[in-house]
């Protein structure tokens, strides 16, 4: 009980700092709005008589907006006031969703409006999250950053894939997709109110400056990060595996899952939002599970195994005929995906040199998203030549195959033995 109490106190300690509590609250609201949008957008497309191809177009626009600006968003976070950036993003998001809601309520909304809105929302995320991450060490002592990041990793999937979609699903089912979009706008407004209460301190507005010498050019910094990645075998092969894995499962998961719910299970927006909720709960459970355990000795092998085995149940998605079957599949997928992500994030922090960590993290984000828009763009048209069952079988089996290749080619087993992390002292003592 004493250990549990100590862990709980360590998790909530950052909230004693008012500025962080406001920033974290804004993140929760913003993430909640993104979760609502993921469901509201689906059923607004369907309200416009759109099918898999049209939904692919809107989902792809969102991913393209994120991908196009993610590296630039990181650069802006280093060069300008992070506080002002998150304020501007939330102001813009509130205005954008308000306009979209007005168009939807009036019946003037068209598919291209949703594509533009999706693209701009993705672009906003590309600026928001790097600035949010850069604000944390300016608000919190270094010994509280782990708790803040761990709590975020647990709360974010619950809010984004569970509570937000459930709220939107309820509004869609009881009122209309347009009312769900109104809800998205109001939640962004709540996030904006939280951010406006954060004091305009000089520390939050200071741009990052390299010690000792002038900052090198952007191209040179990017080249150095890419060079390190190519020379580091475990990093290179994990990123290559990530690209292929994301390409094979993200399109079916984001674009085609709503049609599994409606066509196979004869469900509505409520059922779809509940399905996403199980994935979100699984992600939260996975984050808590690995965070409460000792760092694994075979960390690269366990990470790869989680990502490989986690997608296997997706091969059965096209054959489910009961809602509980889909819930179990998504719960398992969420748990294994989160365990792998927590291990991966810890690896970057502990094995990448601190002077390169920002660039490598940004490059990791960029590379992981590189084929996401293409996957979403392909998923819809692919239903014209393959059945939903076949597409999900491919999505479920591709990651295990390529994961084994990456584990072997990257020499993960030998690398994790030669670079043990389990015996390193913990940054925070339990006393």
């Amino acid at each position: 009980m004493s250990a549990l109490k100590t862990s709980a106190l360590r998790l909530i300690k950052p909230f004693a700092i008012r500025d962080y509590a406001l920033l974290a609250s804004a993140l929760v609201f913003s993430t909640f709005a993104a979760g609502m949008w993921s469901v509201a957008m689906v059923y607004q497309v369907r309200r416009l008589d759109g099918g898999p191809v049209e939904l692919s177009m809107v989902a792809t626009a969102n991913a393209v907006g994120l991908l196009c600006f993610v590296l630039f968003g990181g650069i802006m976070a280093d060069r300008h006031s992070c506080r002002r950036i998150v304020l501007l993003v939330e102001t813009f998001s509130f205005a954008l969703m308000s306009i979209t809601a007005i168009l939807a309520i009036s019946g003037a909304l068209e598919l291209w409006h949703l594509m533009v809105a999706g693209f701009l929302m993705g672009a906003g995320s590309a600026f928001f999250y790097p600035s949010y991450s850069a604000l944390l060490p300016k608000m919190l002592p270094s010994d509280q950053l782990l708790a803040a990041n761990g709590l975020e990793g647990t709360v974010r999937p619950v809010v984004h894939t569970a509570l937000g979609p459930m709220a939107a699903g309820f509004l869609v089912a009881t009122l209309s997709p347009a009312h769900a979009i109104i809800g998205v706008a109001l939640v962004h407004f709540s996030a904006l109110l939280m951010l406006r209460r954060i004091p305009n301190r000089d520390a939050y507005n200071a741009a990052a400056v390299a010690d000792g010498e002038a900052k090198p050019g952007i191209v040179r910094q990017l080249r150095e990060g890419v060079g390190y990645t190519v020379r580091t075998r475990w990093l290179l092969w994990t990123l290559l595996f990530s690209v292929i894995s994301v390409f094979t499962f993200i399109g079916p998961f984001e674009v085609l899952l709503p049609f599994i719910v409606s066509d196979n299970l004869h469900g509505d927006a409520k059922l779809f939002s509940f399905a996403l909720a199980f994935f979100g709960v699984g992600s939260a459970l996975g984050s808590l599970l690995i965070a409460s355990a000792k760092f694994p000795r075979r960390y690269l092998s366990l990470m790869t195994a989680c990502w490989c085995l986690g997608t296997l149940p997706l091969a059965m998605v096209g054959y489910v005929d009961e809602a509980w079957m889909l819930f179990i599949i998504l719960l398992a997928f969420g748990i294994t995906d989160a365990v792998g992500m927590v291990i991966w994030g810890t690896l970057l922090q502990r094995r990448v040199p601190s002077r390169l960590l920002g660039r490598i993290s940004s490059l990791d984000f960029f590379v992981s998203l590189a084929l996401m828009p293409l996957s979403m763009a392909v998923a819809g048209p692919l239903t014209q030549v393959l059945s939903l069952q076949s597409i999900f079988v491919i999505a479920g089996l591709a990651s295990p195959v390529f994961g084994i290749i990456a584990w072997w080619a990257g020499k993960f087993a030998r690398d994790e033995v030669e670079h043990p992390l389990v015996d390193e002292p913990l940054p925070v003592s339990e006393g």
Side-chain angles (χ1 to χ4, degrees), residues 338-393:
V339 170
M341 288 301 297
V342 171
I343 295 175
W344 173 242
T346 305
L347 271 181
L348 291 181
Q349 294 171 350
R350 295 182 69 172
R351 290 195 58 181
V352 173
S354 58
R355 65 184 180 84
L356 291 170
L357 184 56
R359 275 167 282 172
I360 298 302
S361 298
S362 179
L363 189 62
D364 163 46
F365 194 30
F366 180 80
V367 169
S368 299
L369 294 175
L371 294 182
M372 182 186 291
L374 182 60
S375 177
M376 293 181 176
V378 167
L382 199 58
T383 60
Q384 306 301 313
V385 294
L386 293 175
S387 65
L388 287 176
Q389 289 85 354
S390 299
I391 294 173
F392 274 98
V393 166

Side-chain angles (χ1 to χ4, degrees), residues 157-230:
V158 174
V159 174
H160 185 270
T161 58
L163 301 181
M166 287 176 65
F170 175 79
L171 289 173
V172 170
T174 57
L175 296 172
S176 71
H179 288 85
I181 299 175
I182 293 175
V184 175
L186 292 176
V187 176
H188 275 299
F189 182 68
S190 299
L192 179 59
L193 292 180
M194 293 294 104
L195 291 174
R196 287 184 61 85
R197 295 178 63 190
I198 297 175
N200 188 24
R201 306 186 195 279
D202 291 339
Y204 304 161
N205 296 326
V209 178
D211 293 331
E213 59 182 42
K215 286 185 290 187
I218 295 173
V219 174
R220 178 183 166 187
Q221 287 182 306
L222 183 59
R223 186 166 56 241
E224 185 179 6
V226 172
Y228 176 84
T229 300
V230 172

Side-chain angles (χ1 to χ4, degrees), residues 95-382:
L96 177 64
M97 287 295 100
S98 297
I99 294 171
T100 305
I102 292 171
L103 290 173
I105 286 290
S106 66
L109 188 70
E110 298 180 14
L111 184 66
W112 72 268
H113 292 136
L114 287 175
M115 292 179 64
V116 171
F119 177 86
L120 294 176
M121 289 296 289
S125 297
F127 285 92
F128 184 92
Y129 289 107
S131 294
Y132 166 82
S133 298
L135 270 176
L136 284 186
K138 298 177 181 179
M139 290 184 171
L140 295 175
S142 59
D143 62 346
Q144 294 184 25
L145 290 174
L146 181 63
N149 287 322
L151 194 62
E152 177 194 338
T154 302
V155 171
R156 184 182 291 184
V158 174
V159 174
H160 185 270
T161 58
L163 301 181
M166 287 176 65
F170 175 79
L171 289 173
V172 170
T174 57
L175 296 172
S176 71
H179 288 85
I181 299 175
I182 293 175
V184 175
L186 292 176
V187 176
H188 275 299
F189 182 68
S190 299
L192 179 59
L193 292 180
M194 293 294 104
L195 291 174
R196 287 184 61 85
R197 295 178 63 190
I198 297 175
N200 188 24
R201 306 186 195 279
D202 291 339
Y204 304 161
N205 296 326
V209 178
D211 293 331
E213 59 182 42
K215 286 185 290 187
I218 295 173
V219 174
R220 178 183 166 187
Q221 287 182 306
L222 183 59
R223 186 166 56 241
E224 185 179 6
V226 172
Y228 176 84
T229 300
V230 172
R231 293 191 304 271
T232 308
R233 188 185 290 265
W234 66 268
L235 181 59
L236 174 64
W237 279 99
T238 302
L239 289 180
L240 291 176
F241 167 52
S242 177
V243 169
I244 295 172
S245 181
V246 167
F247 174 73
T248 54
F249 82 75
I250 198 67
F253 184 81
E254 293 283 348
V255 175
L256 302 182
L257 193 59
F259 297 93
I260 292 292
V261 171
S262 60
D263 297 350
N264 288 25
L265 303 179
H266 309 292
D268 57 9
K270 284 185 180 179
L271 183 58
F272 177 57
S273 62
F274 275 121
L276 293 182
F278 271 84
F279 174 75
V281 169
S283 297
L285 289 175
S287 296
L288 287 175
L289 178 67
I290 191 64
S292 62
K294 292 182 178 179
F295 196 77
R297 185 179 301 274
R298 295 285 186 172
Y299 49 87
L300 286 169
S301 296
L302 178 60
M303 177 188 72
T304 307
C306 284
W307 283 340
C308 290
L309 298 177
T311 64
L312 274 177
L314 292 180
M316 299 301 298
V317 165
Y319 298 95
V320 299
D321 54 13
E322 296 287 345
W324 65 266
M325 298 178 182
L326 181 61
F327 294 163
I328 291 176
I329 289 173
L330 295 182
L331 181 70
F333 182 39
I335 291 173
T336 52
D337 180 66
V339 170
M341 288 301 297
V342 171
I343 295 175
W344 173 242
T346 305
L347 271 181
L348 291 181
Q349 294 171 350
R350 295 182 69 172
R351 290 195 58 181
V352 173
S354 58
R355 65 184 180 84
L356 291 170
L357 184 56
R359 275 167 282 172
I360 298 302
S361 298
S362 179
L363 189 62
D364 163 46
F365 194 30
F366 180 80
V367 169
S368 299
L369 294 175
L371 294 182
M372 182 186 291
L374 182 60
S375 177
M376 293 181 176
V378 167
L382 199 58

